[in-house]
Amino acid sequence: MSVARRKVVVTAGPTREHVDPVRYISNESSGRMGFELAAAAARAGDRVILVAGPVHLETPPGVTRVDVTSARDMLAAVKAAFLGAEGRSRAHFGKTGADALFMAAAVGDWRPKRRRAGKWRAKDCGDEVATLELVRNPDILATVGAAKGDRLVVGFALETGDGVRRARRKLVRKSADHIVLNDPTALGGARTSVTVIGRDGGEVRLINRTKRAVAEALVALGRP
Ligand code: CTP
């Protein structure tokens, strides 16, 4: 009996919000977890679209990659791939979209209110203090989570303090089926520890595993 291949969207890496043509706001995300997820899903036989922020990582075999810069670019690419799209403009799975979304990207919550067309020069500012006005970026996970129907949505969180309680609130607010709570010490490293929190109340801890092993456990979520 042949089983239809699952269609999976993975996001990875940071987003980048330009202040002017040569400066931007971003974060330290390496993109490794998302790339491992995309690779693991492809190895497991899924069709995979990887929406990647600016990172220096090789595209895993069998994965279709869409490079994006800002959070708003990423939202457009995720909507097309996960919720569905027609035409040839972006990578997508057609009108019906994908079966699962793994939102591993570290999306910037804020962007400069205006992107300057020319360089922002020191002399344009005050003598000692400059102010950069920021506006809120869309929440990609919450936006597509609200429209997901019975498709699988997995979010990620990096918390300090009472992480599990915060991650549970995030899971509900963003309509995710699972939130993967990362250990802050894992940033950039090859090994990691995560707690996978489920909508059904379940909590599974994966301790000191390689990111490859964690990725394999995560792409098994929601698989029949
Ligand atoms: N996320 C997103 N769009 C954003 C911000 C975050 O899709 N604008 C996604 C991330 O990809 C991740 C999850 O939401 O899967 C958790 O992100 P996090 O930054 O921890 O959540 P916030 O809502 O920003 O909460 P806070 O910064 O208050 O912890």
Side-chain angles (χ1 to χ4, degrees):
M1 190 181 79
S2 81
V3 178
R5 294 170 72 198
R6 193 167 69 154
K7 290 171 279 188
V8 171
V9 179
V10 179
T11 68
T15 55
R16 187 181 281 184
E17 305 292 345
H18 275 271
V19 174
D20 69 14
V22 292
R23 303 187 181 94
Y24 52 79
I25 303 172
S26 192
N27 61 66
E28 288 284 353
S29 169
S30 69
R32 288 188 58 186
M33 191 66 237
F35 274 63
E36 289 284 6
L37 278 165
R43 284 196 305 272
D46 294 336
R47 292 169 63 196
V48 185
I49 293 176
L50 171 62
V51 180
V55 291
H56 298 284
L57 292 173
E58 264 183 49
T59 309
V63 168
T64 301
R65 175 172 178 172
V66 181
D67 285 316
V68 296
T69 304
S70 70
R72 288 182 297 172
D73 297 341
M74 186 173 279
L75 174 63
V78 170
K79 273 185 169 169
F82 182 63
L83 295 181
E86 286 179 281
R88 293 178 153 271
S89 57
R90 283 181 183 276
H92 60 74
F93 293 117
K95 268 200 302 225
T96 50
D99 304 306
L101 170 67
F102 292 87
M103 197 65 215
V107 185
D109 286 322
W110 302 93
R111 68 176 181 275
K113 187 169 178 184
R114 88 179 170 100
R115 176 181 175 157
R116 287 167 186 260
K119 243 181 90 180
W120 188 14
R121 296 186 185 283
K123 67 175 171 45
D124 299 338
C125 307
D127 283 342
E128 298 295 334
V129 178
T131 304
L132 181 62
E133 225 181 331
L134 302 175
V135 293
R136 194 73 194 233
N137 267 333
D139 189 313
I140 300 168
L141 185 53
T143 305
V144 299
K148 81 181 191 69
D150 56 7
R151 293 177 271 194
L152 180 77
V153 166
V154 179
F156 290 74
L158 184 79
E159 306 281 359
T160 50
D162 186 357
V164 172
R165 197 168 51 89
R166 287 224 184 95
R168 281 200 182 285
R169 283 209 300 262
K170 214 164 268 186
L171 180 143
V172 173
R173 192 171 74 241
K174 303 195 184 203
S175 312
D177 299 294
H178 303 274
I179 292 276
V180 180
L181 180 59
N182 278 295
D183 185 330
T185 58
L187 277 181
R191 297 184 86 83
T192 190
S193 300
V194 302
T195 306
V196 186
I197 297 164
R199 183 163 273 275
D200 58 2
E203 226 176 85
V204 176
R205 283 184 63 76
L206 304 171
I207 297 164
N208 197 26
R209 309 276 178 93
T210 61
K211 288 189 176 174
R212 181 181 165 118
V214 170
E216 282 169 358
L218 295 179
V219 297
L221 290 170
R223 208 185 278 285

